[in-house]
Amino acid sequence: MFGTDIGIDLGTVSIIVYAKGKEGLINEPSVVAVDCNTNEIISIGEEARKMIGKTPGNIKAIRPLRKGVIADYDTTEKMMRYFIAKAGGKGWFFKPRVVICIPSGATDVEERAVKEATLSAGAREAYILEEPVAAALGAGIDISQAEGNLVVDIGGGTTDIAVLSLGGVVNSLSLRVGGDDFDEAIVRFIRREYNMMIGERTAEDVKIKIGSAYPERKDGESTMAIRGRDLLTGLPKSLEVTTATIYRALLEPVEAIIAAVKEVLECTPPELAADIIDKGVVMTGGGSLLDGFSDIITERTNLPAIVAENAVLCVALGTGKALENLDLLKATGTFSTRKRH
């Protein structure tokens, strides 16, 4: 009747929605299938994702978000309207309040686009929360204390690394590298080394099943058969790849994230750095689940690194905690307060 307050993790790969007072989360791919002739939306979410790479000429399956920000404003607005309604946010009398996350490196223009799209999609009020702050809240970290906490949130399009203290971001770096880049790196490597083209869904499957940040997985060397198209003959082709092969494919994006973590640590005030030595690094986001990633972070930074429980859901769960403490977070300036033009 009065609408439901909602938290949204607006991800490049998936949208996860928290509805206050309701059990469970809505977790669907951020994909929209559009009829090119009429510009009408055919499907949104999981149903649209299944169409990627398989649509006829008049239908295209698109991701309206790229690198954590809006690439197609109109489609994003319609997609958000769909998820707000699905979460029960459309009340008879009042529109919902919505907490929505953006990468810490988003520009003012990108932030404004997210806020305006949220309001246009049916929100009464829109509160912008930086992703590492939401990830920390969702991981159960008390960021209100005068203590340093280092969070590495590896999403589909971006990686946010931030040192948090007293409810805010002290030092951060947003890297436009994430799970999608892992997939693209695998596609490029297979094409370059084996003259074979595979799709992004195959690459994602390979990453999840046998991918590793180490030459070998914790449970030993793994192999997997993949199918694609031979670039020399144009015919279907099958190939068996190993964990060591995929490790080589993933080396560049993994090293970029490690270098970014080191850069943030180098700029961290000494007193907060001392806290981080004791507490270690908390990793969230789907990319943190890559086998051996926390181990390589530990090895290269000499800091204990742990993957948070429910790592994929941490940002969305953090928006839920923000909704529960809305007045407190507004008073402490936790929400984005960048100047509007």
Side-chain angles (χ1 to χ4, degrees):
M1 184 175 179
F2 295 102
T4 301
D5 288 344
I6 291 169
I8 300 177
D9 174 9
L10 192 65
T12 304
V13 174
S14 60
I15 288 186
I16 307 175
V17 183
Y18 169 93
K20 189 175 180 180
K22 296 188 178 182
E23 292 186 6
L25 300 170
I26 296 171
N27 185 355
E28 290 196 41
S30 48
V31 182
V32 179
V34 180
D35 188 319
C36 299
N37 296 330
T38 63
N39 207 32
E40 291 183 0
I41 290 179
I42 297 170
S43 61
I44 296 173
E46 182 60 37
E47 188 178 340
R49 188 187 76 89
K50 293 176 182 177
M51 298 182 183
I52 293 178
K54 299 180 180 180
T55 57
N58 67 314
I59 297 173
K60 61 179 180 180
I62 61 173
R63 296 182 184 274
L65 299 155
R66 285 290 173 190
K67 301 299 180 184
V69 295
I70 294 174
D72 184 329
Y73 182 89
D74 291 336
T75 306
T76 300
E77 180 193 323
K78 291 173 184 175
M79 181 174 67
M80 290 176 63
R81 189 181 297 276
Y82 165 82
F83 282 110
I84 288 174
K86 188 170 183 178
K90 285 196 173 182
W92 294 347
F93 299 144
F94 297 116
K95 295 179 179 180
R97 294 179 299 180
V98 176
V99 172
I100 191 160
C101 296
I102 60 169
S104 58
T107 65
D108 286 350
V109 173
E110 291 167 339
E111 179 184 334
R112 188 162 61 249
V114 169
K115 190 166 187 175
E116 288 175 357
T118 306
L119 294 170
S120 298
R124 169 167 46 108
E125 298 173 11
Y127 298 94
I128 303 297
L129 189 63
E130 293 186 10
E131 284 180 1
V133 176
L137 291 171
I141 299 173
D142 183 0
I143 63 171
S144 65
Q145 302 300 314
E147 298 176 341
N149 297 279
L150 178 59
V151 175
V152 179
D153 179 51
I154 308 173
T158 59
T159 294
D160 283 285
I161 304 139
V163 175
L164 308 170
S165 180
L166 289 172
V169 177
V170 177
N171 183 27
S172 70
L173 179 61
S174 186
L175 193 66
R176 304 242 164 159
V177 174
D180 275 357
D181 297 275
F182 295 169
D183 300 341
E184 290 168 10
I186 292 171
V187 170
R188 287 197 305 270
F189 187 85
I190 297 298
R191 184 175 61 228
R192 184 176 67 246
E193 296 293 321
Y194 301 102
N195 288 314
M196 178 177 163
M197 177 62 73
I198 60 173
E200 62 178 67
R201 290 183 64 182
T202 298
E204 183 182 20
D205 203 28
V206 169
K207 174 186 70 178
I208 293 169
K209 290 182 177 176
I210 68 169
S212 178
Y214 269 101
E216 292 186 5
R217 288 175 65 92
K218 295 175 185 177
D219 54 3
E221 178 76 358
S222 300
T223 61
M224 179 178 173
I226 59 174
R227 296 176 178 84
R229 188 179 77 247
D230 191 314
L231 292 174
L232 299 178
T233 66
L235 300 174
K237 179 180 178 179
S238 182
L239 174 71
E240 193 167 86
V241 293
T242 65
T243 295
T245 302
I246 304 306
Y247 161 76
R248 289 165 56 207
L250 294 173
L251 198 55
E252 184 178 339
V254 167
E255 286 294 329
I257 291 172
I258 293 170
V261 172
K262 287 183 175 180
E263 186 176 337
V264 169
L265 287 169
E266 287 169 2
C267 300
T268 300
E271 294 297 333
L272 296 179
D275 294 334
I276 294 168
I277 291 173
D278 295 331
K279 295 185 175 185
V281 182
V282 177
M283 301 180 66
T284 65
S288 67
L289 300 178
L290 179 68
D291 187 83
F293 213 150
S294 59
D295 298 321
I296 194 72
I297 292 286
T298 297
E299 185 179 290
R300 301 286 286 278
T301 64
N302 294 320
L303 295 171
I306 60 165
V307 179
E309 187 179 355
N310 297 321
V312 176
L313 305 177
C314 278
V315 172
L317 293 172
T319 64
K321 290 192 176 180
L323 283 169
E324 292 169 4
N325 299 279
L326 207 54
D327 293 335
L328 176 62
L329 293 179
K330 282 195 289 186
T332 57
T334 300
F335 294 114
S336 179
T337 55
R338 301 180 197 185
K339 290 181 180 178
R340 301 288 174 208
H341 298 294

